[in-house]
């Protein structure tokens, strides 16, 4: 069965500092990997997605993620965090062909301090 | 504007009183899904629909019903709500199931007392 692990429930960073959110997945075939962001009171919005090609994926709002097959990881990074990045971040894994379920991680809540 | 619209945004109800949360999308997506979000548990899929008149159970379907009579609408029905169904609910739609971006509604916060 597919699964996603986000080991950090809560992360606090200072504004301007770099950020890395961890995500490990388990999937039997070639995975589609996603990062979504949920701002307070809002639905989820896609930050970026990976299927194939360059293992470093660029997304919106200055985020990027790196796919490492050997480590089954898809960590999200940002070089310099802004106060507006405070939100909850979800990693998800899916697949292609027929019905493919998307499984979400439990989320990492990011707090940004001045 | 492409969007998924859920109503209501907030709902407080009593145990056993039937309720419906509506979901509508304007992107002509075939695939729609309902999730519930609980602290520490992330998003868990309740039901999904591959197309009109095609629905199936997700991971936590007990106590819920859905219908898909039109492509754009996918209502979630709680026939007899219980306090353990107090949660934040999201509807989502996508053009395919596991390989494309899912568009989410803004959520419905349900409290069952």
């Amino acid at each position: 069965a597919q699964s996603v692990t986000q080991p950090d429930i809560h992360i606090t960073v200072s504004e301007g500092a770099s950020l890395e959110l961890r995500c490990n997945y388990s999937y039997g075939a070639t995975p589609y990997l996603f990062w979504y962001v949920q701002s307070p009171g809002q639905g989820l919005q896609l930050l970026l997605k990976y299927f194939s090609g360059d293992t470093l994926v660029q997304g919106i709002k200055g985020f990027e993620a790196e796919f490492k097959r050997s480590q089954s990881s898809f960590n999200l990074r940002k070089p310099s965090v802004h106060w507006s990045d405070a939100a909850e971040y979800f990693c998800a894994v899916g697949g292609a062909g027929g019905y493919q379920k998307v499984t979400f991680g439990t989320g990492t809540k990011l707090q940004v301090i001045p | 504007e492409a969007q998924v619209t859920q109503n209501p945004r907030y709902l407080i109800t009593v145990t056993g009183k039937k309720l419906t949360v509506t979901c509508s999308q304007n992107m002509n997506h075939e695939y729609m899904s309902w999730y519930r979000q609980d602290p520490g548990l992330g998003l868990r899929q309740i039901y999904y629909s591959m197309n009109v008149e095609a629905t199936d159970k997700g991971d936590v379907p007990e106590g819920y019903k859905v219908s898909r009579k039109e492509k754009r609408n996918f209502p979630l029905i709680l026939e007899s709500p219980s306090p353990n169904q107090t949660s934040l609910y999201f509807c989502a739609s996508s053009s395919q199931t596991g390989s494309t971006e899912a568009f989410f509604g803004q959520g419905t916060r349900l409290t069952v007392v």
Side-chain angles (χ1 to χ4, degrees):
Chain A
Q2 64 196 64
S3 66
V4 176
T5 302
Q6 293 182 249
D8 302 307
I9 297 171
H10 198 149
I11 282 185
T12 299
V13 300
S14 299
E15 191 167 15
S18 64
L19 170 71
E20 182 169 29
L21 302 182
R22 297 182 290 167
C23 172
N24 290 96
Y25 69 91
S26 173
Y27 191 75
T30 303
Y32 281 74
L33 295 160
F34 308 83
W35 273 101
Y36 286 86
V37 60
Q38 183 183 27
S39 298
Q42 301 296 315
L44 281 71
Q45 179 187 17
L46 183 71
L47 280 177
L48 49 80
K49 162 188 157 183
Y50 172 80
F51 168 55
S52 64
D54 193 343
T55 56
L56 187 61
V57 181
Q58 301 298 320
I60 62 171
K61 305 185 182 189
F63 285 91
E64 65 181 26
E66 185 171 13
F67 172 64
K68 292 185 178 180
R69 185 183 298 276
S70 61
Q71 298 177 20
S72 297
S73 69
F74 189 54
N75 294 348
L76 182 71
R77 302 196 294 244
K78 187 169 185 179
S80 178
V81 169
H82 188 261
W83 64 265
S84 61
D85 293 324
E88 190 156 19
Y89 293 80
F90 292 91
C91 182
V93 64
Y99 170 67
Q100 294 288 340
K101 177 183 170 182
V102 174
T103 299
F104 288 84
T106 52
T108 297
K109 189 163 287 189
L110 174 65
Q111 181 182 10
V112 180
I113 56 176
Chain B
E1 180 190 355
Q3 59 184 4
V4 177
T5 303
Q6 289 179 233
N7 280 297
R9 292 288 311 277
Y10 302 91
L11 180 60
I12 301 174
T13 191
V14 297
T15 298
K17 185 177 181 181
K18 180 180 179 180
L19 67 91
T20 298
V21 183
T22 63
C23 174
S24 180
Q25 51 97 0
N26 63 0
M27 295 165 280
N28 202 37
H29 285 161
E30 292 188 348
Y31 181 70
M32 298 185 74
S33 188
W34 276 103
Y35 295 89
R36 60 178 289 172
Q37 182 181 11
D38 301 289
L41 298 177
L43 276 80
R44 295 179 292 168
Q45 189 181 55
I46 303 171
Y47 267 94
Y48 65 93
S49 170
M50 297 283 284
N51 212 326
V52 174
E53 303 293 0
T55 63
D56 208 344
K57 297 177 181 178
D59 297 318
V60 289
E62 295 77 21
Y64 304 95
K65 284 176 55 177
V66 294
S67 69
R68 187 96 181 269
K69 294 183 170 50
E70 303 167 284
K71 196 171 187 177
R72 62 184 291 125
N73 296 324
F74 190 45
L76 179 69
I77 302 156
L78 284 72
E79 295 270 2
S80 181
S82 62
N84 64 12
Q85 292 178 298
T86 293
S87 187
L88 179 59
Y89 291 87
F90 287 100
C91 178
S93 76
S94 60
S95 56
Q96 296 178 41
T97 58
S99 58
T100 59
E101 175 182 2
F103 291 82
F104 284 81
Q106 290 197 297
T108 296
R109 185 165 292 282
L110 172 65
T111 302
V112 184
V113 298

